[in-house]
């Protein structure tokens, strides 16, 4: 019974809700169930949420003054 209700809640949320949000929705319907038990029931029913992680471009910050590249200034590439 709980597994079927959890499936309905998941489908209603366009497969976005995970086990924590489904637990909150079940709690609002006055059905108390533990998070671990709900996770296990959803795993048995193969009902996993669709998660996407937002891409964030890495940012580098230089907190000191940059030095000039001395290797580029050498006429002789031997470094001597």
């Amino acid at each position: 019974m709980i597994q079927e209700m959890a499936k309905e809640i998941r489908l209603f949320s366009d497969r976005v809700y995970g086990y924590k949000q489904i637990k909150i929705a079940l709690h609002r319907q006055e059905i108390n169930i533990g998070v671990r038990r709900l996770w296990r029931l959803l795993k048995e029913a193969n009902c996993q949420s669709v998660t996407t992680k937002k891409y964030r471009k890495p940012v580098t910050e230089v907190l000191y003054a940059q030095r000039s590249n001395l290797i580029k200034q050498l006429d002789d590439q031997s470094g001597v």
Side-chain angles (χ1 to χ4, degrees):
M1 176 183 98
I2 294 173
Q3 200 171 23
E4 295 299 323
M5 293 179 76
K7 281 184 182 181
E8 289 177 15
I9 293 169
R10 181 179 159 268
L11 289 175
F12 181 72
S13 71
D14 294 329
R15 300 182 318 161
V16 175
Y17 277 7
Y19 66 96
K20 292 181 181 180
Q21 289 292 330
I22 293 173
K23 183 191 180 326
I24 293 169
L26 287 173
H27 185 70
R28 288 182 185 147
Q29 296 176 7
E30 297 181 1
I31 298 173
N32 293 325
I33 185 171
V35 175
R36 291 181 182 173
R37 182 174 184 184
L38 180 63
W39 182 82
R40 182 177 43 83
L41 290 172
L42 291 173
K43 185 177 178 183
E44 288 173 2
N46 200 17
C47 293
Q48 298 170 347
S49 64
V50 178
T51 56
T52 57
K53 194 167 188 177
K54 191 174 184 180
Y55 175 75
R56 295 183 184 222
K57 186 177 177 182
V59 179
T60 57
E61 294 182 17
V62 180
L63 302 175
Y64 52 88
Q66 293 290 310
R67 296 182 183 177
S68 61
N69 190 348
L70 301 177
I71 299 295
K72 287 184 179 180
Q73 297 175 2
L74 291 177
D75 293 331
D76 183 18
Q77 295 298 323
S78 66
V80 180

